[in-house]
Amino acid sequence: MERVKSLRVDGQRNRERIVAAASELVARDGAQASLEEIARRAGVGSATLHRHFPTRQALLEVVFRDGVAQLCAMASAQPGRNPAAELAAWLEEVTVYTATHRGLAAALLAGPEGLSPEELCCTDMLLEVLTGLVARASSAGAIHAGATAEDLLRLANAIAVANEQDAPTARRVLRLALLGIRP
Amino acid sequence: MERVKSLRVDGQRNRERIVAAASELVARDGAQASLEEIARRAGVGSATLHRHFPTRQALLEVVFRDGVAQLCAMASAQPGRNPAAELAAWLEEVTVYTATHRGLAAALLAGPEGLSPEELCCTDMLLEVLTGLVARASSAGAIHAGATAEDLLRLANAIAVANEQDAPTARRVLRLALLGIRP
DNA sequence: ACCTGAACACCGTTCAAGT
DNA sequence: ACCTGAACACCGTTCAAGT
């Protein structure tokens, strides 16, 4: 959980409470969780929530940032075997994680609107890792040229958002998509 | 536009007006279009809308039924060339159509809850066609066994819902998914 | 049988007033 | 600087009263 130095102590504490309350309620209700209820549970006025997070997406980005960072760290920690298999395995982990954590896929699709520009958004973190994996696999001739990092992330996000709360299906459909339909 | 014989003439007319208003507003605002506003534009009370369509999904199903039926008709009208290419081409058309018509992908993912059971829902119409195409391609050995009609529709819907209003991207990502990542 | 309008319990956003 | 509570303009759902 990061600090925002420029805030007064009470502002700092409110911000942390809002993020904690949002984490609980987004996990329960998904990306559409009531902002009113989040403010209520955090013990702040609704106007305070809006000052700290000008848009719903800005709040969601902060809620999910730590988890996504962990996911990104897992990629580099993997052994360097077949680069196409490595790419596929990490994309599968991302898809399962995203399908499992309610609201995350929707947040990734909606983009980081309203996030303060110096902060790295979740999509950018994922894209950075994925670009590296795609480059390695590509220069090893292990994937074809049409498979870009951007489209692969779009594909994974699409499958996750359509299969929120159903990780086995999300994983199976992603595998199908990475494999294609030819025999 | 189908008739519902069991309705009084005024009920019949109200139902048609509701569907017409819903078509306009869903095209403009997507699947989350305000039911209140739909009722207002149709010139009926909101309670009347709820009586005719107990859930939002039931209304969406009726709004999109004709278009989906046309899509299904196009499949059988195609020449019988390479069965895998035929399957891919139709799935691409479905994806582009779904990505282009706001609210349709969300309606397909949400399912037909609240629709009167004797009516065929959009998903069932699409699955029937797709099952035929998959069977033909499969028995010709043109696709692998893991590619089921259900998962392929899930895949197409996922890509469409994540790329609503961006048909070129939806088409490109679907092609990537049908091709896979291998060189 | 079917419709209407009002009632109920919610929303998100903004703004004046406070400390 | 930051917070609060109230105000505003919306929602979806349900129900008593009408024709």
Side-chain angles (χ1 to χ4, degrees):
Chain A
M1 191 77 63
E2 86 283 86
R3 297 278 148 67
V4 178
K5 276 196 177 167
S6 64
L7 251 43
R8 238 167 45 178
V9 270
D10 56 343
Q12 181 68 256
R13 221 182 52 165
N14 277 342
R15 194 189 138 98
E16 279 167 17
R17 285 183 175 179
I18 291 168
V19 174
S23 300
E24 292 180 35
L25 289 177
V26 168
R28 196 191 71 191
D29 300 334
Q32 303 295 335
S34 160
L35 298 180
E36 198 87 14
E37 197 181 349
I38 291 172
R40 223 150 40 217
R41 180 174 300 208
V44 304
S46 61
T48 299
L49 186 149
H50 275 88
R51 153 175 330 223
H52 282 284
F53 302 99
T55 67
R56 178 185 291 277
Q57 290 144 47
L59 177 54
L60 291 174
E61 284 281 340
V62 175
V63 163
F64 289 117
R65 181 159 22 233
D66 291 353
V68 169
Q70 260 184 275
L71 218 38
C72 290
M74 290 177 53
S76 15
Q78 289 207 1
R81 32 174 186 142
N82 174 353
E86 201 178 331
L87 168 62
W90 188 70
L91 212 50
E92 195 178 310
E93 286 195 84
V94 170
T95 304
V96 168
Y97 185 90
T98 310
T100 308
H101 292 72
R102 294 204 67 184
L104 174 50
L108 292 172
L109 286 176
E113 196 153 356
L115 195 70
S116 38
E118 77 268 18
E119 314 193 76
L120 207 59
C121 73
C122 291
T123 292
D124 287 344
M125 295 197 286
L126 292 170
L127 264 186
E128 197 188 315
V129 173
L130 199 49
T131 301
L133 291 172
V134 167
R136 283 212 292 161
S138 192
S139 67
I143 64 174
H144 69 83
T148 65
E150 283 78 9
D151 280 354
L152 286 173
L153 185 57
R154 250 188 278 269
L155 179 61
N157 285 343
I159 291 170
V161 81
N163 295 286
E164 200 175 72
Q165 306 279 71
D166 186 354
T169 301
R171 169 183 271 126
R172 194 179 67 243
V173 174
L174 180 77
R175 283 182 178 168
L176 169 58
L178 295 183
L179 218 55
I181 61 172
R182 301 267 163 190
Chain B
M1 192 77 64
E2 86 281 89
R3 295 279 147 70
V4 179
K5 276 198 177 165
S6 63
L7 252 43
R8 238 166 47 178
V9 268
D10 55 344
Q12 182 68 256
R13 220 182 52 165
N14 276 342
R15 194 188 138 100
E16 280 165 19
R17 285 183 175 178
I18 291 167
V19 173
S23 301
E24 291 179 38
L25 289 177
V26 168
R28 196 191 71 189
D29 300 333
Q32 303 295 334
S34 158
L35 298 179
E36 199 87 11
E37 197 181 347
I38 291 171
R40 222 150 42 218
R41 180 174 299 208
V44 304
S46 61
T48 299
L49 185 150
H50 276 88
R51 154 180 324 231
H52 282 284
F53 303 100
T55 66
R56 178 186 292 275
Q57 291 143 48
L59 176 55
L60 290 174
E61 285 280 340
V62 174
V63 163
F64 289 118
R65 185 164 12 242
D66 291 353
V68 169
Q70 260 183 276
L71 218 38
C72 290
M74 290 177 52
S76 15
Q78 291 208 358
R81 30 172 187 144
N82 175 352
E86 201 177 334
L87 167 61
W90 188 70
L91 212 50
E92 195 178 310
E93 287 197 81
V94 170
T95 303
V96 167
Y97 185 91
T98 310
T100 307
H101 291 73
R102 295 205 67 184
L104 174 51
L108 292 173
L109 286 176
E113 196 152 355
L115 195 72
S116 39
E118 75 268 15
E119 315 192 76
L120 208 57
C121 73
C122 291
T123 292
D124 287 345
M125 294 198 286
L126 291 169
L127 264 186
E128 197 188 315
V129 174
L130 199 49
T131 302
L133 291 172
V134 167
R136 282 212 293 160
S138 192
S139 67
I143 64 175
H144 70 82
T148 66
E150 283 79 9
D151 280 353
L152 286 172
L153 185 57
R154 251 188 278 269
L155 179 61
N157 285 342
I159 291 171
V161 81
N163 297 284
E164 201 176 72
Q165 307 280 70
D166 185 357
T169 301
R171 170 183 270 128
R172 193 179 68 243
V173 174
L174 179 78
R175 282 181 178 169
L176 169 59
L178 295 183
L179 217 54
I181 60 171
R182 300 270 163 189

